[in-house]
């Protein structure tokens, strides 16, 4: 495999593209070429299933299930039925889904079993966040506005997953219009964290929390999420998953209910780096319906990048990588800081990795703070102005951010967009002049810039809840991020750990056990 894509991308071209994108699609975006661009491909993974996964099919990773299906040891209908059985047993506690396609998913899996395995996801059961259009299946974005909406077509990402053979188990619960953790549109808490199902106060992780709980609770093999401020990486960290937010434009947003034209990123929530790579390999690529996907470097072989390499019998990084450590990374609660320290020590021992202390770019706190982060709000309001004028009550608990966006002045919006470009320039030229990957605790700055991020598990706190971290990279550095995560996961087993079944929590229903109010939602970034 050739070197990683990130060092062959023209950074100035990416900066120019970001500037054009801030005009909200006024015309074609500048192309971002890569020197010696690799030919797009996707390695077919072969992973021998673990005995415990063979004994309980809902424990199989995508790669393990694919191996069993392709060699005839497992049929898709058997796999789907195992998940539907588990959903029937535990969904009343987890409340991870808005809708479960029991009959349709069973029929689709049965039909897949009659055909030879072709696509990367043949017969693999997935959860799809409820803001992705699904043809013939209700898509509500968990909102009063879309409560009866049945799309006539699939979102591009869903269409690609289905063409690759995936079976959609159901629509995952989400924050209303992707604004906060999963609740009813009026703020009543629904989805719980799979690691603390009896305590609704434990955050399941921002607006993609339904997908995260489904995957963590073994109600789906993997699933889709969207991130505008942290809603892939935060639920991944909260529920011991690997979540990958790709570079802006790498995955089409066509057919996804919008939140922010310049900030929305679709991506996978999975159990490990290899599964995330398989999902993104299918979801990524140009789409004629979305200008943001066009003119980009070809998608490299992400599956190969996420496959650990060994040199002289030891797990090593696929490419030499400087891992930047930001100031304050080791601060925080004692058990969280200890997990981060172990994480860095483990990486430092991997051949090919080198830790580098890197300073924050000038004026970091100001440029990444709430005032400039909020310039995304007019993009949120613009798409829903007719509804805002007609009935504010239709926005439920999330109405305040929409009103804030409608009231933000044009000069403030322009200043914010220009400031974002200044921040991007300082990150590309300054921060990444000293490292290839940066470890971070806050996803928001890289969301603002459209740069890729990967959340992964690194331990547990004293309460038994997952501790995660976030890797950030250069434009189109998904292959580099996956390679680092794969090497780390080959040396640790945090990602293999699963929460206990609800058990004593059986019968608990989150409805009525808590509520988010409009002020809490206004302070939330998703």
């Amino acid at each position: 495999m050739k070197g990683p894509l990130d060092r062959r991308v023209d950074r100035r071209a990416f900066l120019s593209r970001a500037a054009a994108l801030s005009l909200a699609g006024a015309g074609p975006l500048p192309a971002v070429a890569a020197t010696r661009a690799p030919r797009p491909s996707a390695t077919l993974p072969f992973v021998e299933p673990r005995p415990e996964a063979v004994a309980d099919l809902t424990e199989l990773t995508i790669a393990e299930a694919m191996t069993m299906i392709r060699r005839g040891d497992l049929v898709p209908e058997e796999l789907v039925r195992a998940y539907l059985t588990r959903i029937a047993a535990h969904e009343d506690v987890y409340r991870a889904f808005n809708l479960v396609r029991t009959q349709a998913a069973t029929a689709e899996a049965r039909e897949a079993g009659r055909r030879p395995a072709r696509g990367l996801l043949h017969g693999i059961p997935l959860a799809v966040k409820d803001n992705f259009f699904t043809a013939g299946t209700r898509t509500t974005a968990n909102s009063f506005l879309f409560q009866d909406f049945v799309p006539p077509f699939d979102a591009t990402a869903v269409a690609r997953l289905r063409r690759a053979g995936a079976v959609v188990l159901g629509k995952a619960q989400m924050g209303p219009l992707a604004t906060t953790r999963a609740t009813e549109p009026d703020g009543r808490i629904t989805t719980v964290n799979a690691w603390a199902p009896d305590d609704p106060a434990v955050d399941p992780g921002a607006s993609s929390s339904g997908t995260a709980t489904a995957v963590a609770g073994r109600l789906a093999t993997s699933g889709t999420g969207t991130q505008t401020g942290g809603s892939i990486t935060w639920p991944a960290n909260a529920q011991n998953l690997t979540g990958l937010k790709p570079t802006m434009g790498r995955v089409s947003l066509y057919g996804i209910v919008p939140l922010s034209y310049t900030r929305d990123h679709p991506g996978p929530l999975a159990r490990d780096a290899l599964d995330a790579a398989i999902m993104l390999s299918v979801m990524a690529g140009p789409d004629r319906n979305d200008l943001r996907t066009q003119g980009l470097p070809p998608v490299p072989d992400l599956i190969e990048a996420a496959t650990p390499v060994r040199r002289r019998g030891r797990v090593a990084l696929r490419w030499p990588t400087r891992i930047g450590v930001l100031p304050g990374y080791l601060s925080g609660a004692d058990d969280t800081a200890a997990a981060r320290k172990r994480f860095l020590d483990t990486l430092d021992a991997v051949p090919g990795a080198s830790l580098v202390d890197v300073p924050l770019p000038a004026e970091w706190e100001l440029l990444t703070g709430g005032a400039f982060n909020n310039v995304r709000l007019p993009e949120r309001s613009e798409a829903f102005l007719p509804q805002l004028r007609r009935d504010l009550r239709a926005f439920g608990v999330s109405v305040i951010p929409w009103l804030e966006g409608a009231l933000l002045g044009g000069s403030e919006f322009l200043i914010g967009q220009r400031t974002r470009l200044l921040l991007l320039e300082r990150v590309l030229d300054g921060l990444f002049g000293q490292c290839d990957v940066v470890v971070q605790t806050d996803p928001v700055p890289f969301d603002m810039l459209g740069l890729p991020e990967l959340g992964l598990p690194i331990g547990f706190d004293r309460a038994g809840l997952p501790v995660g971290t976030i890797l950030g990279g250069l434009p189109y550095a998904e292959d580099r991020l996956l390679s680092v995560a794969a090497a780390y996961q080959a040396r640790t087993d945090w990602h293999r750990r699963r929460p206990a079944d609800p058990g004593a929590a059986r019968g608990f229903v989150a409805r009525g056990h808590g509520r988010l109010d409009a002020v809490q939602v206004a302070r939330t970034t998703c």
Side-chain angles (χ1 to χ4, degrees):
M1 185 176 185
K2 294 182 179 180
L5 184 57
D6 54 9
R7 290 295 167 181
R8 290 179 281 117
V9 168
D10 185 339
R11 299 188 200 180
R12 308 312 295 180
F14 183 80
L15 185 63
S16 297
R17 186 179 180 88
L21 184 62
S22 68
L23 299 176
L29 301 175
V32 179
T35 59
R36 301 185 304 279
R39 180 177 300 173
S41 60
T43 300
L44 191 65
F46 176 89
V47 176
E48 189 62 41
R50 293 158 293 141
E52 61 269 30
V54 175
D56 180 353
L57 298 180
T58 65
E59 173 61 27
L60 290 167
T61 64
I62 293 176
E64 290 172 327
M66 287 171 57
T67 299
M68 292 186 68
I69 289 172
R70 287 180 181 278
R71 68 187 183 193
D73 295 337
L74 177 66
V75 296
E77 185 176 359
E78 184 182 4
L79 182 60
V80 166
R81 285 191 181 278
Y83 278 104
L84 290 174
T85 297
R86 188 166 175 83
I87 289 170
H90 301 300
E91 170 60 9
D92 64 331
V93 176
Y94 290 136
R95 297 193 66 190
F97 289 96
N98 267 346
L99 178 150
V100 178
R101 302 175 67 248
T102 303
Q103 295 182 345
T106 302
E108 290 168 12
R110 185 178 300 125
E111 178 61 27
R114 299 184 180 126
R115 304 190 307 269
R118 295 178 181 174
L120 277 173
L121 295 171
H122 184 84
I124 302 298
L126 305 178
V128 172
K129 188 174 179 179
D130 198 30
N131 56 348
F132 288 74
F133 284 22
T134 41
T137 298
R138 196 160 48 95
T139 297
T140 72
N142 196 24
S143 166
F144 294 133
L145 292 170
F146 295 95
Q147 57 188 349
D148 299 316
F149 176 55
V150 178
F153 61 90
D154 284 328
T156 297
V158 174
R160 287 176 171 166
L161 292 168
R162 281 180 156 155
R163 282 199 298 270
V167 175
V168 177
L169 284 174
K171 303 303 292 291
Q173 182 66 289
M174 57 180 285
L177 290 169
T179 51
T180 184
R181 67 176 286 184
T183 72
E184 298 285 1
D186 64 6
R188 288 175 294 169
I189 292 172
T190 54
T191 308
V192 295
N193 189 313
W195 291 87
D198 58 344
D199 186 357
V202 177
D203 197 331
S207 72
S208 300
S209 45
T211 298
T213 297
V215 179
R218 303 196 340 266
L219 308 183
T221 311
S222 184
T224 66
T226 56
Q227 177 159 319
T228 308
S231 293
I232 291 175
T233 51
W234 269 336
N237 283 179
Q239 303 214 47
N240 211 54
L241 302 174
T242 301
L244 181 54
K245 181 201 82 74
T247 310
M248 168 55 68
R250 194 45 112 182
V251 176
S252 174
L253 282 159
Y254 183 68
I256 298 176
V257 177
L259 187 61
S260 170
Y261 185 88
T262 62
R263 294 276 297 272
D264 290 348
H265 301 80
L269 280 152
R271 295 183 184 166
D272 59 21
L274 182 55
D275 278 10
I278 294 168
M279 288 284 289
L280 187 58
S281 293
V282 174
M283 296 171 70
D287 175 15
R288 62 183 177 85
N289 293 308
D290 187 348
L291 289 171
R292 291 160 290 197
T293 68
Q294 299 171 21
L296 305 185
V299 180
D301 192 332
L302 300 175
I303 296 174
E304 184 177 1
T307 301
V309 297
R310 287 174 169 79
R311 298 188 179 97
R312 299 179 181 177
R314 298 177 63 197
V315 173
L317 286 187
R318 185 170 291 274
W319 306 289
T321 299
R322 299 167 297 166
I323 299 167
V325 182
L326 296 173
Y329 179 73
L330 294 179
S331 62
D334 291 345
D335 41 2
T336 299
R340 292 174 182 168
K341 179 66 165 58
R342 288 193 303 269
F343 169 68
L344 292 180
D345 289 343
T346 301
L347 281 184
D348 198 29
V350 178
S354 57
L355 300 185
V356 182
D357 289 325
V358 294
L360 291 168
E363 300 179 289
W364 178 263
E365 296 296 331
L366 173 64
L367 299 180
T368 62
F372 286 119
N373 186 31
N374 282 342
V375 300
R376 75 197 188 284
L377 296 181
E379 295 178 356
R380 175 183 300 189
S381 302
E382 181 269 338
F384 292 92
L385 284 176
Q387 292 85 354
L388 280 170
R389 295 188 181 106
R390 186 165 57 244
D391 186 2
L392 292 177
R393 293 171 299 181
F395 291 83
V397 73
S398 62
V399 66
I400 289 179
W402 262 267
L403 287 175
E404 289 177 334
L407 297 174
L408 194 71
S411 60
E412 294 172 283
F413 179 77
L414 289 173
I415 291 171
Q417 294 296 336
R418 289 170 180 166
T419 301
R420 185 169 65 92
L421 296 176
L422 173 63
L423 176 62
L424 177 58
E425 186 173 32
R426 290 181 179 178
V427 168
L428 294 179
D429 294 343
L431 182 62
F432 282 114
Q434 305 171 65
C435 63
D436 305 299
V437 169
V438 62
V439 293
Q440 52 192 24
T441 59
D442 184 357
V444 171
F446 275 35
D447 286 340
M448 295 170 68
L449 303 177
L451 297 176
E453 296 180 297
L454 185 149
L456 72 161
I458 60 171
F460 293 85
D461 65 17
R462 59 175 57 92
L465 295 175
V467 176
T469 197
I470 301 169
L471 303 175
L474 282 158
Y476 316 108
E478 291 84 7
D479 54 352
R480 173 95 70 172
L481 298 179
L482 286 164
S483 71
V484 174
Y488 175 77
Q489 291 179 346
R491 286 175 165 246
T492 61
D493 71 346
W494 303 118
H495 61 290
R496 296 289 190 204
R497 304 191 187 189
R498 306 285 182 257
D501 289 347
R506 184 177 299 279
F508 167 80
V509 178
R511 186 191 306 274
H513 285 256
R515 180 189 292 270
L516 298 183
D517 60 32
V519 174
Q520 288 174 298
V521 173
R523 293 171 179 168
T524 303
T525 300
C526 288

